[in-house]
Each structure stands twice: as C-alpha cells, then as structure tokens.
Amino acid sequence: MCMMNHHYEELEESYLFAGIADRIRRYSAAHPQQRILRLGIGDVSQPLTESVIQALHEAVDDQAVKKTFHGYMPECGSEDLRKTIAAYYRKKGCNIGEQEVFVSSGASDELGDILHLFDRSIPVLLSQPAYPAYADANIMDGRKIIYLWAEEGNGFRVFPPKEEMTSLIYICSPNNPTGAVYEKELLQAWVDYAIRTDSIILFDAAYEAYIADEDIPHSIFELRGAKDCAIEICSLSKTAGFTGTRCGYTVIPEKLTREGMNLNTMWIRNRTTRTNGVSYILQKGAEAVFSEKGQKEVKNLIGIYRHNAKIFMRALDEAGLWYIGGRNAPYIWVRCPNGMSSWDYFDFLLEKAQIVGTPGSGFGPAGEGYIRFSMFADAKDIEEAGSRIIQMELK
Amino acid sequence: MCMMNHHYEELEESYLFAGIADRIRRYSAAHPQQRILRLGIGDVSQPLTESVIQALHEAVDDQAVKKTFHGYMPECGSEDLRKTIAAYYRKKGCNIGEQEVFVSSGASDELGDILHLFDRSIPVLLSQPAYPAYADANIMDGRKIIYLWAEEGNGFRVFPPKEEMTSLIYICSPNNPTGAVYEKELLQAWVDYAIRTDSIILFDAAYEAYIADEDIPHSIFELRGAKDCAIEICSLSKTAGFTGTRCGYTVIPEKLTREGMNLNTMWIRNRTTRTNGVSYILQKGAEAVFSEKGQKEVKNLIGIYRHNAKIFMRALDEAGLWYIGGRNAPYIWVRCPNGMSSWDYFDFLLEKAQIVGTPGSGFGPAGEGYIRFSMFADAKDIEEAGSRIIQMELK
C-alpha cells in the first residue's frame, strides 16, 4: 500500500521558461539600455473584444440582482452555450449535437482532466516536438509514452505507425510548437488507424481559428468515422484572447464507446461528480464570441496576429532561413542557422539582436536545432525582430 | 491492457436530485394551484455583494484595454489573492503563508482534483451521511472506502477508529448534510490520529463562515500539528454566494510530506501541468470578498441565511421535532417523525404541506430516517414552511 502517487517522481524538471526568464534577466542587468523583443511566450497581447466585454458586464450585473442571479450552473455547460457551440460546428459542416458539447475552463485544464476516463495501462502515442503538458500529464498517471518523431522531411507532421496497437493518440493541428497543419488525407489516415486499432484520438484544436488554407480541417469531426474514435478539445484562449479569462469546450460524440463503456456518459458522470460547472459570467462572455458581431471581431483580432506572421515570414524569407508555420498558425518554427543548437541560437539572438524566441529543444529532443517564434507578440516587436534577423543573416 | 477506466462501472446511479425533481413535477401537475416551498437544494438565493460586483466590473474593464489586459494567470493563483487569503487565515490565528494557498475554481473541483496526489491503493475513511461526491470521486479512482457511521448518539460526528491505519480522511465541519460541527477536542483527536498513522486529512471548510459559536474551529489549522497532516479545501460559494460565479482556495502546508514527497511541491507541479490558472476576472471578484467592506457585506449576507435558520429552528422546537445543525451551519437535519423513512417523510411533507426537503438516505444509509432542510431558501418560504410543520405536528 502506498499513500502518494509516486509517478510524480518520474517527471523531469522543466527549465524551459525559467531558463529563458533567467537569461533575459541576466542580459538586461548587463545591458539596461537595450529593448528586448519578446517573441517567446505563446500568450496573446490583444484585449478581449467589444461584444465579449459587453456580455461579461451584463452577466456581472445579472449576478448583482436576486431576480437574475445564477447559482450552480449545469456541470456540463449552460444549455445556451452548448447549443451555440454545436451550431458553430454545424456551420463548419460537422454534425455535432449540443449533448456532445461540454463547456470547460480551457484546453489545458481539459487535456489533463479527460485522462481520468482512461486506464493507466493504455500506452500513449505522442508526436515530438510537443506541448510539454501532454507527456507530463501522462507521466503523472504512470502511462507509457511512445514518441513519434516529427521532422523537416515530413513537414513536422507524423504518420500512423506500422505497428497496429490500441493507444491514446494526441494530435495537435495547427501544431504548437511547430505551426505545422495536418491536411485532410493525413488526418483521415489517423482516423482510419484509430478505428482499426480501437484507439482514441485526443484532438487539440486550440489553434483552429488560425487556419487560412481552405483544405485544412478545422475539426477532426470533418473526417469520416471520427465520431467513432475521437475527442476534440478546444479553447477560446487563442481564438478570442481568453488566456487569462478562461473558457473552452470539448466535444465527445454520443456514440463513442470502448470496451462497452460510453465516453460521453462517463464524462457527464465525471463532470457532475468532480466539478460544479464553469462560471455563469465566463459562459456568457464565451457565448458572445459566437454571435455574428463577435465572430467579426475575432476575425479582426486574429487578423492582427496573422499580419504579424506575414511580416515575420517575409523577413525570414529575405534572410534565407528555413521555417514552417505562420501561414495557418500563430507560431513559426525556424531551423537554427549554421547547425546551431536551440539554446546556442537563443543566446546568439538575445545577445546580437535582443530577440527572444523559445528554444525548440524545450519541446523535446525532436525540437533540437529549431526555435519557435510566437506571432502573439507586439506588432512593433515583430517588425523590428524581422529587420534585425535580416541584417544579421545578410551580413 | 485496458483502454477505459472501468472503475466508473462501480458507481451507483444517484437518483436523489432527479428523484426529487420528478416527484415535484408530478405533484405540481396534479395540484397546479399549490405553491411549493423549496428547502431542498443547497444553492444560495442571494446575489453577489456590492464590493464583489464592483471588482468584477473593474476586472472586465481591465480585460478591454491592452494596457491593463491580463493573459495567462499564475497557475497557483494571483500573488495578490494568495496574499489576501493567507492574511485572512492569520486573522483567524492560523500561521499560513501565501505559498501555502492555492486559488481554485471551487471546492467541488478541488475535492476531485486533489486525489491525483494520492496512490489509488490508499484506503479512504469517510463518515456517513456525506456529500455523495466524496465517495464517488474515490470509487472512480478505485480506492477502497471505509465508512464510519455518524449517529444521533454522537451528535452526527465521528471519532477516530480503534484500528490504527494509514488512510485518507475526509472531515467536513460544519457538515453537509447534517450541519453538525466538530469541536476543538474532537478535531484535535483526529489530527493526533492522522499524525500517529501517517494519514492525511482532507478538511472541507466550505461552511466555515456559518460558525457562530466561538469555540468551534473555522480551520483545521487552528489545531496543534495540523500542518503535518492536513489539507484544507475551502470555497466562496457559501461564504459569498459564489456557487455560480466560482472561486475557492486550498491550503497545503509547505512542510506536509509523506513517503519523502512534498505535497505542496506536488500540487504546484499538478497545477502548472494540468491547468492555466483561474480567471483574472474571478480572482479580482474573490479578492473583494476579503476587503474590509467585503467582509462586512458577507457578514450581512450570511446573516440572512442565519436568520432563516433561527426562524426554522424555532418552528421545529415548537413542533417538538428532533434536529441538529442550523446554529453553526446553513443546514438543519431533522429526524423524521413517527419512525418514517426519509422518502416517506419527503412524500408526506410534499403532499400535506407542499414542503420540499432532501431525503437523508440520499447521503448514504446512515442518513435513513432523516431529512435535510436548506436555510439558503427564500425567507418567506422558510417562515411558511415552519408554520405548516407546526400545524401538522400539533394537530
């Protein structure tokens, strides 16, 4: 008998963001006059849009008066918001019912929580480089992780393995950190593989709103058979600037079953036992994102970051650096020049050009030799960083 | 190898609240002219207070402007709110540091999430009757539950068992559903037992603000040695009407270790991996609860429910019914008269007096023969329900 969950001891300490902060601090102390251009962190910089702000204020007012006050919310989400999100899916051509939509506090929260549905003996198929929490949340549960390496040669996407095994499969498209996107055929191959092997795909669609190309799926449910093998986890963090406001949603098809257990029913039971629902105020704010006006506003919002990406890609092209992402994603993944390691190039950029990126090796060994730039940064910083990279490379 | 978490199959369906709703529906359909007095559900009825509303509006405004916009929040809570809550504890005489306070989305969420720190082989000591989620969250994890029966004879509190075993111990004081409170000596006996047996106490303090008697501890950390064996989970739901707004807090002492693992450090790792923090807006609202003005307001707010309890207790006294709770808790736990079962008395009250309570047997077999009344109901309903009970009993 054991008191504690000893799988926590198997986690490696992550020095990624602490390491970055530390280096910036030291550089700034030595060069206090230099302005640092921060393209490191994947956090948004633009405020919430007008419709959302108005809806939030109205919801706060509702909570001030007995007649309109809301106590406990339905654990799986308010009926209105679930309906609104289901309609959003139907507009994308996905036949999703409101009972298949669950309102969440955001994708990060949900990506950890959803694992409770699965046995701890099931192996996890994970592509590398990856958002570190995918692996860490599974290590904490004691699950075995099988890594698939994404590389330049395959555009930093991974293909279903030859070995046919039942597993929990993570797919993030558009991808964090690489900005790579999975086209229809490749996603279909994954859906077919999952059905063949009785696997479940956890599809992270947090960046779906950044897709510009028409033939790239926004949702796994655009694919044939996905309702038999996939859960989609999405968030308003990057779509509508909700990183610090918090609200997201998860789709679990009503017909998704494994080993005689229905995953939608299990998740209802999980939510009703383990939460008391998402704040009424936040759900009202989230609902406003999907209104006609709200959708226009977030299109403009995303346009700002997309413009950043265009400017930065142009600079990279001029500098002659290899990269992917940016076109359908708010991240640009750049090969470090001259065979430099991720951290060497990080140091080089900080010292020579006062630019901060995120070392690719922080997303796993498959990211070594690359660096991630976030287009959520300030437009001025993006532009200036682009010019400095051009100057350095053409010198 | 198993794909799904089959422990979900061990859960029993709970028909408690669905059963209540069903019976009310049928009664109303047959007697559409009758007004039903709802003292069943433990949800608050009063709106948020002025300071909280103002703080929420200000926080929404912050999110509307780039200069004051907040993106990702610290995963363990904003520095300001953690400091504020630590100061609140120090005012109660508990030496709690801000690093020991974690901001949460509420007690329900946290009571499930915190279990991740513990191995699934550790047994759980749980008193009955109890809030059903305590047992269900552990059944879903596959933990063995050892029930201690609370009874009239011991004032519906339970004492440490003779058998000395390492376990996870739930204590909820003031108690839901019984309204019983644990006095200092009894809580100290539990703390001593936990230290002796290397156990951990999960102390649910969600109703601490309802304590009127001076010698009843508000926090487990008022007891000697509690920092070596306890985690406290608290919420603003009942203190400040946050049931639908959502914000709570958890205290994990920095020195709390088991099997060489530090629980505070583990929880930091859990939060940074599995969440992106609680909404900036909600944390600002929560902070306002602890301001001088905010504290006065919530005292008034709680005074409303406390007044309800006084009125209702007076009626029960007059009717000659046995009960506990009410004095230090928003719940009153009444013995069903004439040896009736919980559901029989429920039906009797609904049909003869149009009063809705919550059958005690819904909180486990130890609750059979009792009924819970919630003082969060409307004052008019409470008063009217009291008069009808007197009339019925004195007939």
Side-chain angles (χ1 to χ4, degrees):
Chain A
M1 195 190 72
C2 221
M3 164 63 96
M4 304 309 299
N5 177 354
H6 283 271
H7 295 302
Y8 279 65
E9 291 171 330
E10 295 155 26
L11 290 165
E12 282 171 37
E13 269 309 321
S14 167
Y15 293 109
L16 181 62
F17 291 102
I20 293 172
D22 206 48
R23 278 166 154 92
I24 295 175
R25 208 165 21 240
R26 262 184 289 149
Y27 181 83
S28 294
H31 309 85
Q33 77 293 355
Q34 296 278 25
R35 190 166 78 91
I36 291 172
L37 311 173
R38 297 168 187 266
L39 282 63
I41 293 172
D43 196 358
V44 299
S45 55
Q46 294 293 322
L48 298 181
T49 67
E50 204 180 293
S51 302
V52 172
I53 291 294
Q54 195 190 325
L56 289 169
H57 275 309
E58 284 169 11
V60 171
D61 283 334
D62 285 348
Q63 295 298 71
V65 182
K66 196 170 172 182
K67 209 181 133 193
T68 53
F69 175 76
H70 283 76
Y72 287 123
M73 299 295 291
E75 292 90 345
C76 300
S78 77
E79 208 184 306
D80 285 352
L81 184 52
R82 295 178 84 182
K83 271 187 189 161
T84 300
I85 294 168
Y88 175 72
Y89 270 95
R90 283 196 294 273
K91 253 188 253 163
K92 290 193 274 191
C94 303
N95 180 25
I96 299 294
E98 60 183 280
Q99 300 301 322
E100 300 180 306
V101 175
F102 294 84
V103 177
S104 78
S105 296
S108 302
D109 308 69
E110 206 76 344
L111 280 160
D113 287 353
I114 202 91
L115 293 175
H116 198 268
L117 297 185
F118 303 102
D119 194 83
R120 291 178 166 185
S121 67
I122 188 83
V124 174
L125 263 188
L126 191 53
S127 73
Q128 259 220 41
Y131 177 58
Y134 294 163
D136 286 350
N138 280 292
I139 291 168
M140 286 161 128
D141 275 0
R143 281 191 202 84
K144 187 185 153 196
I145 300 171
I146 298 158
Y147 287 105
L148 300 174
W149 279 51
E151 295 169 324
E152 257 187 57
N154 51 28
F156 275 96
R157 298 146 323 140
V158 296
F159 298 82
K162 293 252 162 61
E163 196 195 339
E164 305 253 318
M165 64 184 143
T166 306
S167 59
L168 211 51
I169 301 165
Y170 281 86
I171 302 176
C172 176
S173 171
N175 190 269
N176 175 16
T178 68
V181 281
Y182 280 64
E183 71 269 32
K184 209 163 182 173
E185 295 68 31
L186 181 50
L187 269 190
Q188 188 65 59
W190 272 110
V191 167
D192 295 344
Y193 175 85
I195 290 174
R196 229 163 40 235
T197 56
D198 278 328
S199 297
I200 295 279
I201 294 173
L202 296 177
F203 190 74
D204 183 347
Y207 300 95
E208 63 91 9
Y210 289 81
I211 294 173
D213 292 342
E214 279 198 0
D215 53 339
I216 303 294
H218 286 242
S219 164
I220 189 85
F221 297 114
E222 294 178 37
L223 286 304
R224 196 179 55 249
K227 282 188 123 181
D228 292 311
C229 68
I231 290 172
E232 180 158 301
I233 291 174
C234 202
S235 154
L236 297 176
S237 286
K238 305 303 163 71
T239 303
F242 269 56
T243 53
T245 300
R246 315 301 307 146
C247 199
Y249 50 94
T250 299
V251 177
I252 307 180
E254 279 187 304
K255 65 172 183 163
L256 185 59
T257 55
R258 285 292 180 277
E259 300 172 349
M261 300 178 78
N262 181 284
L263 279 78
N264 184 289
T265 308
M266 286 174 82
W267 194 238
I268 293 171
R269 192 64 202 248
N270 181 295
R271 296 293 86 183
T272 51
T273 301
R274 295 177 49 134
T275 78
N276 263 323
V278 172
S279 175
Y280 166 73
I281 298 167
L282 304 182
Q283 292 197 63
K284 289 307 266 186
E287 225 180 295
V289 171
F290 297 96
S291 68
E292 206 178 320
K293 186 162 171 256
Q295 285 290 296
K296 271 186 203 150
E297 291 168 357
V298 297
K299 219 167 247 175
N300 287 337
L301 184 71
I302 290 164
I304 295 172
Y305 302 129
R306 206 173 254 159
H307 181 73
N308 285 348
K310 261 190 198 147
I311 300 287
F312 201 70
M313 287 192 287
R314 205 178 293 153
L316 293 172
D317 286 336
E318 210 174 317
L321 292 177
W322 184 94
Y323 66 90
I324 56 163
R327 188 170 163 72
N328 294 294
Y331 297 122
I332 299 181
W333 183 251
V334 179
R335 192 206 301 141
C336 306
N338 310 316
M340 267 191 269
S341 76
S342 297
W343 277 110
D344 282 351
Y345 189 49
F346 173 92
D347 288 336
F348 177 82
L349 279 179
L350 178 60
E351 275 171 38
K352 303 290 179 204
Q354 298 78 53
I355 298 169
V356 176
T358 309
S361 56
F363 301 99
E368 179 57 276
Y370 296 86
I371 193 162
R372 185 192 78 172
F373 293 107
S374 163
M375 297 302 112
F376 292 123
D378 206 81
K380 271 191 210 153
D381 284 7
I382 298 266
E383 208 163 329
E384 180 60 27
S387 313
R388 291 187 193 175
I389 285 178
I390 296 170
Q391 275 176 20
M392 280 202 309
E393 289 304 314
L394 301 187
K395 246 196 281 195
Chain B
M1 194 189 72
C2 222
M3 164 62 98
M4 303 310 297
N5 177 355
H6 283 272
H7 296 301
Y8 279 65
E9 291 170 329
E10 296 155 27
L11 289 165
E12 281 170 39
E13 271 308 323
S14 166
Y15 294 108
L16 181 61
F17 290 103
I20 294 173
D22 207 47
R23 278 167 155 91
I24 296 176
R25 209 166 20 241
R26 262 184 290 151
Y27 182 83
S28 294
H31 309 84
Q33 77 294 356
Q34 295 278 24
R35 190 165 78 90
I36 291 173
L37 311 172
R38 296 170 187 267
L39 281 64
I41 293 172
D43 196 359
V44 298
S45 55
Q46 293 293 321
L48 298 181
T49 67
E50 203 181 293
S51 302
V52 172
I53 292 293
Q54 194 188 326
L56 289 169
H57 275 307
E58 284 169 13
V60 171
D61 283 334
D62 286 348
Q63 294 298 71
V65 182
K66 196 170 172 182
K67 210 180 132 194
T68 52
F69 175 76
H70 283 76
Y72 286 124
M73 298 296 290
E75 291 91 346
C76 300
S78 78
E79 209 184 304
D80 285 350
L81 184 52
R82 296 177 84 182
K83 271 187 188 162
T84 298
I85 294 168
Y88 175 73
Y89 270 96
R90 282 195 296 272
K91 253 187 255 162
K92 289 193 275 190
C94 303
N95 180 26
I96 299 294
E98 60 183 282
Q99 301 300 323
E100 301 180 304
V101 175
F102 294 84
V103 177
S104 77
S105 297
S108 302
D109 308 69
E110 206 76 343
L111 279 160
D113 288 354
I114 202 90
L115 293 174
H116 199 268
L117 296 184
F118 304 102
D119 193 83
R120 291 178 167 187
S121 67
I122 189 82
V124 174
L125 262 188
L126 191 54
S127 73
Q128 259 220 42
Y131 178 58
Y134 294 163
D136 287 351
N138 281 292
I139 292 169
M140 286 161 127
D141 275 2
R143 281 189 203 85
K144 187 185 152 198
I145 300 171
I146 299 160
Y147 288 104
L148 300 174
W149 279 50
E151 295 168 325
E152 257 187 56
N154 51 30
F156 275 96
R157 298 146 323 140
V158 296
F159 298 82
K162 293 251 161 63
E163 196 197 339
E164 305 255 317
M165 64 184 141
T166 306
S167 59
L168 211 52
I169 301 164
Y170 281 86
I171 301 176
C172 175
S173 171
N175 190 268
N176 175 16
T178 68
V181 282
Y182 280 65
E183 71 270 29
K184 209 162 183 177
E185 295 66 33
L186 181 51
L187 269 189
Q188 188 65 59
W190 272 109
V191 167
D192 295 344
Y193 175 85
I195 290 174
R196 230 165 37 235
T197 55
D198 278 329
S199 297
I200 296 278
I201 295 172
L202 296 177
F203 190 75
D204 183 346
Y207 300 95
E208 64 92 8
Y210 289 82
I211 294 172
D213 291 343
E214 276 199 1
D215 53 339
I216 303 294
H218 287 243
S219 164
I220 189 87
F221 298 113
E222 294 177 39
L223 286 304
R224 195 180 55 247
K227 283 187 121 182
D228 291 311
C229 68
I231 290 173
E232 180 158 301
I233 292 175
C234 203
S235 154
L236 297 177
S237 286
K238 305 302 164 71
T239 302
F242 269 56
T243 52
T245 300
R246 314 301 307 147
C247 199
Y249 51 94
T250 300
V251 176
I252 307 180
E254 279 187 304
K255 65 171 181 162
L256 185 58
T257 55
R258 285 292 180 277
E259 300 173 348
M261 300 178 78
N262 181 284
L263 278 79
N264 184 289
T265 309
M266 285 175 83
W267 195 238
I268 294 172
R269 192 64 201 248
N270 181 295
R271 296 293 86 184
T272 51
T273 301
R274 295 177 50 134
T275 79
N276 263 322
V278 173
S279 174
Y280 167 74
I281 297 166
L282 304 182
Q283 292 197 62
K284 290 307 265 186
E287 227 181 294
V289 171
F290 297 95
S291 68
E292 205 177 319
K293 186 162 173 257
Q295 285 290 296
K296 269 185 207 151
E297 291 169 355
V298 296
K299 217 168 250 176
N300 288 336
L301 185 68
I302 290 164
I304 295 173
Y305 302 129
R306 206 173 257 160
H307 181 72
N308 286 347
K310 259 189 201 152
I311 300 288
F312 202 71
M313 287 192 288
R314 205 177 295 154
L316 292 173
D317 287 336
E318 210 174 317
L321 293 176
W322 184 95
Y323 66 89
I324 57 162
R327 186 168 166 73
N328 295 293
Y331 298 122
I332 299 182
W333 183 250
V334 179
R335 190 205 304 140
C336 306
N338 310 318
M340 268 191 267
S341 76
S342 297
W343 276 110
D344 282 349
Y345 190 48
F346 174 92
D347 288 334
F348 177 81
L349 279 179
L350 178 59
E351 276 170 39
K352 305 287 180 204
Q354 297 77 51
I355 298 169
V356 176
T358 310
S361 57
F363 301 99
E368 179 57 276
Y370 296 86
I371 192 160
R372 186 193 78 173
F373 294 106
S374 162
M375 297 303 112
F376 292 123
D378 207 80
K380 271 190 212 154
D381 284 7
I382 298 265
E383 208 161 328
E384 180 60 28
S387 312
R388 291 188 192 174
I389 286 178
I390 295 171
Q391 276 176 17
M392 280 201 308
E393 289 304 315
L394 299 188
K395 247 197 281 195

